[in-house]
Amino acid sequence: MFDNRVAKSFTTRRNLLRGAFPAAHEFLCDLEERSPPVIWLDAQRDALVYWQDSCLCGVTFVGVGEANTGIRLSPASGRLVDGTVDRSELLFSGPLDALVERHGGLRNRWATRREQGEVELRHPAPAAFFRDFMGLLQTTGARDRAERLASALEGELAADSGRPRGGAASGVGGGASAAAAGAAKPGGQVRTSPATAAARAVAEVRLEGAEASRAGAAASASDAAAAQLAVAGGPMGVASRPQPAGDAETSAEVAAPQSTAPSTTNSRPLPLRPSDTHRLIGLPHLVDAYLELAVCRNSEGDRATAARRRVERLERVFLCRLPRVEELRGPRSADRAQVVELAWRCLDLAAHLESPFLAPPSASRDAMILGMWEDHGEALGTPIEAVRRACLDTVRGALMRLFPGVEETIVSEAELPE
């Protein structure tokens, strides 16, 4: 039941990210090929990410085929796989926002909040963020499952608390009824039993990097045994389903006591105004500005004006200026002139690369155009992205040769001259 279900249309869209958004491409490959057995995908045009029978989030492609393509993480929507439950509120009630904030996604503008808690990610979202997000998926699913098992066990102990000592076995051992009876309060309320407390202690986890640390051996032998029983074999409160091999080991590996530091998980930071941004500007941004100028070179209007103004501002900051093609007069035999001309030819090529399969068609599943796109889209889309990335790398290398040390200039967006 917990095996990947990945369609070719999803793989084709994912591969189009290889050049424009390599960190996201690697993350999606890891989800399908290198994630723990408890995490699996149901992917058609887009994907739903599951932890066993819990659907944790959806992954949607944004602007496929464009230079600034991205992915959107959203609560689960659409039809879920039979036998699974939507538990995406576990991620979108605060933990995902806290992770984005910890990596500076809003501050550096590679992450954007959308409606209903959605988070849109663009290049250059770092690989470290995606590694931590993989860890968040693992620990969120493990914590939720342990909590459900603990609640089911507590309910069973509460139900057994009224039985006589010589009655039917409760399934937790001969002393379970006595322990449950001792747990009952006079007013009819039931306090947490030792077994439940131990199970919840096992469920508490701490996210540090991509991997969760192992649990310490702080509980007594009886509590540890009760926790192991609760996590591995206790009733679930929902219909029991087969588990993949290694499920128990995975849950044990990701379990760890929670930090006592104050949590800011549920605090949603305010969105930044353009004047508040501290996004760092480096050489890749200068190359992107030149690319936008090449796109608008022979046009007029607000977009062309903004592109020229952006390039001029960045050139003043980086203390360099790439001469325009029309300024290169006379023979192009000089070494630097040839490098300048090569850079603009690469920019022109990257600006005008076209492919009929760069953007997926919007059509029903049985449409002929969708079948054509799935059969040939990768062959005519992925190479285009690779050529575009190679062109921009060439332009970056040309600037580094023409202006040594330009790659060391890094400023914030707020420091750019008006």
Side-chain angles (χ1 to χ4, degrees):
M1 174 180 178
F2 305 127
D3 294 331
N4 288 325
R5 308 177 184 187
V6 179
K8 186 176 181 180
S9 57
F10 173 83
T11 302
T12 301
R13 285 174 169 81
R14 181 195 67 192
N15 290 342
L16 289 175
L17 296 176
R18 185 183 289 117
F21 199 173
H25 173 265
E26 185 68 17
F27 166 69
L28 295 177
C29 290
D30 287 344
L31 274 181
E32 179 182 353
E33 302 168 4
R34 293 179 286 275
S35 63
V38 290
I39 296 179
W40 55 284
L41 293 178
D42 179 51
Q44 299 299 323
R45 294 166 64 90
D46 301 306
L48 292 175
V49 183
Y50 291 84
W51 195 98
Q52 283 197 352
D53 62 340
S54 301
C55 185
L56 295 182
C57 75
V59 178
T60 307
F61 296 100
V62 180
V64 177
E66 299 177 359
N68 193 26
T69 185
I71 61 175
R72 182 177 299 160
L73 305 178
S74 59
S77 60
R79 179 178 177 83
L80 303 182
V81 175
D82 293 340
T84 62
V85 180
D86 178 11
R87 293 193 175 92
S88 53
E89 74 279 358
L90 298 174
L91 278 179
F92 292 90
S93 60
L96 179 57
D97 286 338
L99 182 63
V100 171
E101 183 181 10
R102 177 152 60 89
H103 284 271
L106 299 176
R107 182 174 64 253
N108 295 322
R109 295 301 177 93
W110 50 257
T112 307
R113 286 202 186 94
R114 299 297 183 188
E115 297 80 6
Q116 301 178 349
E118 297 177 340
V119 177
E120 195 167 294
L121 305 173
R122 304 274 185 167
H123 183 73
F129 167 80
F130 288 107
R131 287 195 299 268
D132 286 357
F133 182 58
M134 178 74 80
L136 180 62
L137 292 174
Q138 297 181 45
T139 53
T140 298
R143 180 190 296 118
D144 173 63
R145 181 172 181 270
E147 285 288 344
R148 287 186 285 135
L149 291 172
S151 298
L153 178 60
E154 184 172 344
E156 181 174 327
L157 292 176
D160 287 346
S161 62
R163 296 182 183 178
R165 290 180 180 271
S170 65
V172 187
S177 297
K185 291 185 178 180
Q189 298 178 352
V190 180
R191 63 177 174 85
T192 303
S193 63
T196 302
R200 288 181 175 174
V202 172
E204 297 298 333
V205 293
R206 180 175 61 239
L207 293 176
E208 294 182 359
E211 300 179 354
S213 59
R214 295 182 178 273
S220 63
S222 59
D223 288 345
Q228 182 179 2
L229 176 62
V231 174
M236 290 185 60
V238 295
S240 297
R241 300 183 176 89
Q243 300 179 9
D247 177 23
E249 291 80 1
T250 303
S251 299
E253 288 178 2
V254 300
Q258 188 176 12
S259 173
T260 58
S263 173
T264 59
T265 297
N266 295 323
S267 62
R268 183 182 295 271
L270 296 176
L272 294 174
R273 300 186 300 272
S275 58
D276 297 332
T277 180
H278 298 289
R279 182 178 63 166
L280 297 181
I281 304 298
L283 182 58
H285 297 86
L286 178 60
V287 174
D288 290 341
Y290 279 126
L291 175 61
E292 179 68 11
L293 182 61
V295 172
C296 306
R297 179 186 299 175
N298 297 321
S299 61
E300 297 295 336
D302 294 341
R303 180 180 178 183
T305 302
R308 287 192 290 268
R309 184 178 300 125
R310 175 74 172 176
V311 167
E312 292 171 357
R313 293 172 64 195
L314 290 177
E315 286 179 335
R316 290 199 298 269
V317 170
F318 285 86
L319 300 178
C320 67
R321 185 179 186 277
L322 185 65
R324 313 305 187 243
V325 175
E326 57 273 13
E327 299 174 4
L328 298 177
R329 305 182 183 279
R332 311 289 176 86
S333 57
D335 187 26
R336 294 177 65 85
Q338 292 185 59
V339 174
V340 171
E341 185 178 18
L342 173 65
W344 280 110
R345 289 181 63 185
C346 288
L347 288 169
D348 287 337
L349 178 58
H352 298 94
L353 281 174
E354 295 183 359
S355 169
F357 294 103
L358 275 181
S362 55
S364 59
R365 288 194 55 81
D366 56 349
M368 289 188 297
I369 184 62
L370 184 60
M372 293 289 294
W373 191 82
E374 292 180 353
D375 291 340
H376 306 286
E378 183 175 358
L380 285 175
T382 304
I384 297 295
E385 287 297 324
V387 172
R388 176 183 291 153
R389 182 57 53 185
C391 288
L392 298 183
D393 288 342
T394 303
V395 176
R396 185 182 301 113
L399 290 173
M400 293 168 62
R401 284 170 169 79
L402 292 170
F403 311 101
V406 68
E407 71 277 7
E408 299 176 2
T409 301
I410 298 178
V411 298
S412 68
E413 181 78 27
E415 296 173 349
L416 291 182
E418 294 296 335

